[in-house]
């Protein structure tokens, strides 16, 4: 078999559909984020508008300082799995910090948020005999893969619809172990789950709740504990999962919950056991970011201010964006080729970098540009973005929305 030919044929189809992914070749410059060096087509310096380093913590002096200091004192890698020589005191301290953040007894670190969802859900689904997982229709790929791998029965309920969840749960008897899996902030539409209603429905049916707060930790709640903290619901959610790679500006993922729950996953999850622990310096930097955002409100307040400012600018120009209560601003294009073209012009002519979001990340026909303003974007950055979009809307005769 000509394998390369087989690969190329599928890639050609992807390209023809406008869904082929091209990575921007960038270089972050400490202290100037969101301004970065560009090694690809376009100006040498561009402004990033689609980063998940939502609060700029990836360049915070204390966070950078912790990573440098621990690298210099402990070296680079962890040197093993958590079980075989890889547990550093920095991992233990970070797990304590995270358990405290979510008001839980314990926490468990993973190589990434993706791995934490995959490993935790596959372990829960496979090790609880007869378990059924009730999954929100728009759950992240990492949760879907974990549920699939568990081979547990999976019931999909309508996105953010507690009534549909209630109906789905009612079909199963009281002796069936039930897991309700959902997210707080959904990353592509930026909508937020009706968490209290979902928790109440789950409690009514004796189900455990599995909550992905990846796009909320650090940004919501008085200590950055996420939407569950803001809503006063942390103690009613069985397991809270998060990432250290987004608002905390580092790398790694985690789950938090009761001591027994964390011990269970620690002891049975292949994706936790058989992999090298994250570098101690990364754990130290992440702990610094988590600790900082437990008390500092400046980053969160300024993020909210800049988000509101960009929304107002878009409204002024009639540029359609999805209304939602979060920090994520999706500007809907609805066509993969147009979406890529607009992103290319923004990059080449304006030095504005926003990645076009196409299928399969979002459904076909809902292609979009996803902007994530943060505390490091200046008012001038926002004005420049709005002007650039306005001129593009004129140039391409794109539809406007009348206020
Ligand atoms: C990004 C993301 C993850 C994975 O987190 P990483 O640390 O980047 O692996 C999990 N869940 C959701 C909803 C995400 O958007």
């Amino acid at each position: 078999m000509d394998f390369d030919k087989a690969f190329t044929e599928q890639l050609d189809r992807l390209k023809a559909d406008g869904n082929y992914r091209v990575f921007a070749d960038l270089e972050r410059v400490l202290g100037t984020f969101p301004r970065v060096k560009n090694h690809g087509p376009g100006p040498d310096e561009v402004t990033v508008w689609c980063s998940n380093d939502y609060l700029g913590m990836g360049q915070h002096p204390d966070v950078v300082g912790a990573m440098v200091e621990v690298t210099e004192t402990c070296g680079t890698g962890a040197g093993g799995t958590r079980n075989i020589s890889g547990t550093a005191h920095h991992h233990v301290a970070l797990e304590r910090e995270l358990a405290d953040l979510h008001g839980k007894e314990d926490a468990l670190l993973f190589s990434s948020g993706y791995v934490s969802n995959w490993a935790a859900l596959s372990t829960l689904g496979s090790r609880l005999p007869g378990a059924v997982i009730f999954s929100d229709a728009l759950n992240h790929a990492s949760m879907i893969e974990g549920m699939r791998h568990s081979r547990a029965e999976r019931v999909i309920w309508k996105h953010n619809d507690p009534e549909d969840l209630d109906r789905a749960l009612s079909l199963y008897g009281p002796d069936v172990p039930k897991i309700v899996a959902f997210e707080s902030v959904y990353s592509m539409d930026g909508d937020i789950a009706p968490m209290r209603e979902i928790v109440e429905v789950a409690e009514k049916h004796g189900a455990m709740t599995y909550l992905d707060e990846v796009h909320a930790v650090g940004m919501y709640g008085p200590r950055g504990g996420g939407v569950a903290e803001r809503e006063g619901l942390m103690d009613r959610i069985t397991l809270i999962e998060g990432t250290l790679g987004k608002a905390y500006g580092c790398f790694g993922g985690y789950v938090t919950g009761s001591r027994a729950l964390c011990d269970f996953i620690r002891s049975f999850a292949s994706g936790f056991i058989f992999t090298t622990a994250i570098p101690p310096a990364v754990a130290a930097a992440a702990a610094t970011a988590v600790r900082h955002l437990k008390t500092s409100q400046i980053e969160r307040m300024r993020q909210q201010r800049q988000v509101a400012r960009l929304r107002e600018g878009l409204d002024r120009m009639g540029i359609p964006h999805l209304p939602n209560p979060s920090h994520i601003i999706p500007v809907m294009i609805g066509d993969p080729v147009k979406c890529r073209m607009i992103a290319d012009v923004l990059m080449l002519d304006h030095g504005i970098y926003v990645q076009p979001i196409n299928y399969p990340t979002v459904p076909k026909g809902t292609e979009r540009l996803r902007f994530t303003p943060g505390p490091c974007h200046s008012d001038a950055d926002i004005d420049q973005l709005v002007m650039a979009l306005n001129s593009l809307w004129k140039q391409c005769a794109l539809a406007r929305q009348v206020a």
Side-chain angles (χ1 to χ4, degrees):
M1 176 161 182
D2 185 342
F3 287 102
D4 277 344
K5 183 160 166 277
F7 302 148
T8 310
E9 273 167 12
Q10 293 205 30
L11 289 167
D12 287 345
R13 230 170 300 144
L14 205 61
K15 286 177 188 168
D17 290 346
N19 292 325
Y20 183 69
R21 293 168 181 209
V22 183
F23 300 157
D25 183 357
L26 307 173
E27 185 180 334
R28 294 187 61 168
V29 182
L30 181 60
T32 73
F33 183 73
R35 215 85 58 223
V36 301
K37 270 192 214 160
N38 175 27
H39 293 276
D44 294 339
E45 195 187 81
V46 300
T47 304
V48 180
W49 275 101
C50 53
S51 176
N52 284 341
D53 184 358
Y54 291 124
L55 300 175
M57 293 306 285
Q59 67 173 4
H60 192 285
D62 295 351
V63 178
V64 175
M67 199 179 286
V68 170
E69 189 196 318
V70 174
T71 302
E72 283 175 352
T73 54
C74 298
T76 50
T81 62
R82 288 295 294 275
N83 187 40
I84 308 177
S85 91
T87 295
H89 184 64
H90 300 93
H91 299 122
V92 178
L94 173 55
E95 284 173 341
R96 278 193 200 131
E97 201 69 67
L98 292 166
D100 170 78
L101 175 68
H102 295 290
K104 298 292 183 194
E105 287 173 356
D106 213 346
L108 207 56
L109 281 172
F110 292 84
S111 320
S112 71
Y114 186 102
V115 174
S116 66
N117 273 333
W118 185 88
L121 279 168
S122 56
T123 303
L124 290 168
S126 63
R127 291 250 163 204
L128 291 172
V132 178
I133 310 178
F134 297 82
S135 174
D136 183 284
L138 290 191
N139 273 342
H140 189 255
S142 56
M143 297 165 89
I144 295 168
E145 292 299 332
M147 294 184 268
R148 243 189 227 151
H149 185 75
S150 80
R151 299 184 164 192
E153 183 180 346
R154 184 161 51 116
V155 177
I156 295 169
W157 46 286
K158 275 189 208 143
H159 175 58
N160 277 352
D161 187 339
E163 277 175 33
D164 194 50
L165 172 63
D166 191 23
R167 182 201 54 76
L169 286 163
S170 311
L171 300 176
Y172 291 81
D175 297 335
V176 175
K178 305 176 191 75
I179 304 167
V180 172
F182 66 115
E183 303 180 20
S184 55
V185 177
Y186 286 83
S187 68
M188 290 303 146
D189 287 351
D191 53 339
I192 297 182
M195 199 176 288
R196 183 170 301 277
E197 288 84 345
I198 291 171
V199 166
E200 278 166 7
V201 168
E203 284 173 349
K204 186 175 113 184
H205 294 276
M208 73 170 268
T209 35
Y210 185 111
L211 173 62
D212 176 321
E213 288 255 39
V214 160
H215 291 278
V217 288
M219 294 172 282
Y220 298 85
R223 298 204 312 156
V227 176
E229 187 198 14
R230 187 186 73 185
E231 304 297 319
L233 292 167
M234 288 197 298
D235 60 333
R236 291 169 71 182
I237 289 164
T238 320
L239 182 154
I240 298 176
E241 182 269 348
T243 183
L244 304 165
K246 289 171 182 168
Y248 291 124
C250 295
F251 187 71
Y254 65 89
V255 301
T256 62
S258 71
R259 195 159 292 123
L261 171 62
C262 291
D263 201 16
F264 181 71
I265 296 169
R266 186 185 74 91
S267 305
F268 292 116
S270 165
F272 176 81
I273 298 169
F274 297 106
T275 189
T276 302
I278 64 171
V282 172
T288 305
V290 172
R291 212 176 300 124
H292 177 86
L293 289 172
K294 279 180 183 174
T295 53
S296 175
Q297 306 299 333
I298 294 169
E299 293 83 4
R300 285 189 278 275
M301 281 165 54
R302 178 143 169 101
Q303 178 192 40
Q304 284 164 22
R305 177 187 184 276
Q306 300 312 72
V307 168
R309 193 179 165 92
L310 177 54
R311 282 190 211 279
E312 282 159 22
L314 295 174
D315 286 342
R316 230 177 10 255
M317 301 299 180
I319 294 167
H321 56 99
L322 272 190
N324 68 48
S326 77
H327 59 284
I328 294 162
I329 306 184
V331 170
M332 307 307 280
I333 310 294
D335 175 277
V337 178
K338 248 187 217 166
C339 197
R340 163 144 296 286
M341 193 203 74
I342 293 170
D344 285 346
V345 176
L346 283 172
M347 185 75 149
L348 297 175
D349 294 357
H350 301 275
I352 288 169
Y353 168 51
V354 63
Q355 190 66 28
I357 310 278
N358 288 349
Y359 178 83
T361 307
V362 295
K364 286 180 182 169
T366 72
E367 291 80 6
R368 67 198 66 183
L369 303 172
R370 173 185 177 273
F371 296 96
T372 53
C376 301
H377 290 102
S378 67
D379 291 357
D381 289 336
I382 292 173
D383 297 344
Q384 190 227 353
L385 171 61
V386 171
M387 295 313 288
L389 286 172
N390 188 43
S391 78
L392 257 165
W393 248 247
K394 215 175 286 171
Q395 212 176 308
C396 307
L398 290 164
R400 306 225 184 209
Q401 192 168 292
V402 204

